Amino acid sequence: MKKGILLTVFLACSIALNVVAQDRPLQIIMIGAHPDDCDIKSGGTAALFVAMGHHVKFVSVTNGDAGHQTEGGGMLAKRRIAETKEVARRLGVSYDVLDNHDGELLPSLEIRFQIIRKIREWKADVVIAPRSNDYHPDHRYTGVLVQDAAFMVGVPNVAPDVEPLRKNPIFLYFQDNFKKPNPFQADIAVDITPVIEKKLAGLDAHQSQFYEWLPWIGNYENEVPKDPAKHKEYLLAKRVQAPNPEVRKTLEKWYGKSRADQAKYAEAFEICEYGTQPTEQDIRRLFPMLGK
């Protein structure tokens, strides 16, 4: 109980300091392949940004119209878009779903322009997306598309209908467990323990995915509780990982050992080489929940 109170007080103090330190809200855009990807990878970090007065947008590059065992097409896409609207309400984020078919994503010029426009329109300070090595082709190609947009967001003659950014954002990767051709590197780690309930609330809004489709395709349907009151407990066990040793070490770097030891849940990010390369001071400014 005392640890929980201390974390809450720390978060409140961080919010107060952040209001003083920032002359404008930060603009964070998180880009996933499907309408639940950002929620899984960074829902807690998004909740912390929002709590500190910053602006977060989730973007799904596909409409999710293939992600179900009995539903599909336009009706499924509508259901999944409705779920993202509920996530936006629960987390306080903006949520855009692009009208590209699930399971058919390719790194085309047309979709690259869609992503360039989204990043520019949001005037992003930070862009977070998947790495390009992943089991799912939609995830891989979302990573490629965002990497291909990383320099072009500042080129005026590319997608000229939207004003280019005068400063290239910092581009980051979501955490994953894939090892080849190179493993994920935890450059930044965020303690999401104080907002874990918020993250679970966001995941819970994706009813079609976490209680229907993913258990079916993963052959663990019998694990889903029949009682909705137990759903969040199930999500916590199934969808939230404790920090691994590398992430724990990164938490210590940014928070200090005492705070890091208290962190039950974390989200980690790797710096992409294609955007602005941040200093430690830049990272602390752009991730003010890390403290000083």
Side-chain angles (χ1 to χ4, degrees):
M1 181 63 73
K2 288 183 179 179
K3 288 183 178 180
I5 292 171
L6 287 172
L7 288 172
T8 302
V9 170
F10 179 88
L11 181 58
C13 291
S14 296
I15 293 171
L17 288 171
N18 178 68
V19 170
V20 174
Q22 291 292 334
D23 57 358
R24 66 169 180 82
L26 294 168
Q27 299 288 119
I28 313 298
I29 190 167
M30 302 172 174
I31 303 173
H34 306 110
D36 58 339
D37 287 354
C38 295
D39 316 57
I40 296 172
K41 296 293 188 178
S42 57
T45 302
L48 285 168
F49 273 121
V50 171
M52 301 179 89
H54 302 297
H55 301 159
V56 178
K57 179 184 285 292
F58 288 175
V59 175
S60 175
V61 182
T62 77
N63 61 18
D65 60 357
H68 204 274
Q69 68 273 30
T70 59
E71 303 173 15
M75 291 303 293
L76 177 58
K78 288 181 181 178
R79 183 182 180 192
R80 298 198 68 182
I81 290 169
E83 290 172 343
T84 67
K85 290 180 179 178
E86 179 60 17
V87 173
R89 187 189 71 80
R90 294 183 184 187
L91 293 187
V93 302
S94 298
Y95 214 133
D96 292 353
V97 178
L98 304 183
D99 194 21
N100 301 305
H101 290 302
D102 184 358
E104 300 180 13
L105 188 67
L106 292 172
S108 68
L109 192 59
E110 176 188 0
I111 300 176
R112 184 197 302 171
F113 286 170
Q114 291 175 4
I115 291 173
I116 289 171
R117 291 185 180 103
K118 287 294 179 185
I119 294 171
R120 287 176 175 175
E121 288 166 357
W122 197 243
K123 295 180 171 56
D125 296 297
V126 178
V127 181
I128 313 180
R131 294 198 303 158
S132 56
N133 46 315
D134 191 284
Y135 76 99
H136 198 304
D138 288 352
H139 297 173
R140 290 199 299 273
Y141 293 141
T142 295
V144 170
L145 285 160
V146 175
Q147 290 171 21
D148 288 350
F151 177 73
M152 296 301 176
V153 295
V155 180
N157 287 323
V158 174
D161 54 314
V162 181
E163 184 179 355
L165 298 182
R166 295 298 296 128
K167 179 175 174 55
N168 198 245
I170 290 171
F171 286 76
L172 305 173
Y173 298 126
F174 296 126
Q175 183 179 359
D176 63 60
N177 296 317
F178 300 103
K179 306 301 182 187
K180 297 179 181 179
N182 53 286
F184 172 84
Q185 177 176 299
D187 295 314
I188 302 167
V190 177
D191 177 11
I192 64 166
T193 310
V195 292
I196 190 61
E197 289 297 326
K198 276 280 190 181
K199 173 164 183 162
L200 296 176
L203 298 181
D204 176 69
H206 293 283
Q207 299 272 318
S208 69
Q209 300 304 291
F210 296 113
Y211 308 132
E212 299 171 24
W213 165 238
L214 294 174
W216 184 86
I217 194 69
N219 293 301
Y220 55 86
E221 293 170 280
N222 61 334
E223 296 180 19
V224 179
K226 303 299 183 185
D227 182 359
K230 297 181 179 179
H231 277 175
K232 289 184 181 178
E233 181 182 347
Y234 160 78
L235 289 173
L236 183 63
K238 197 74 180 177
R239 289 290 161 184
V240 182
Q241 297 179 342
N244 64 31
E246 182 189 4
V247 172
R248 182 74 64 186
K249 183 177 179 181
T250 305
L251 285 168
E252 290 184 14
K253 171 184 176 179
W254 294 108
Y255 290 94
K257 190 174 189 310
S258 177
R259 173 72 190 279
D261 287 345
Q262 297 178 54
K264 294 181 179 179
Y265 313 108
E267 292 168 348
F269 308 96
E270 178 179 339
I271 298 168
C272 171
E273 294 179 302
Y274 300 159
T276 292
Q277 297 303 286
T279 63
E280 180 172 329
Q281 184 179 7
D282 291 331
I283 292 171
R284 291 195 183 277
R285 177 178 60 83
L286 294 168
F287 284 78
M289 66 285 289
L290 299 179
K292 302 300 180 185

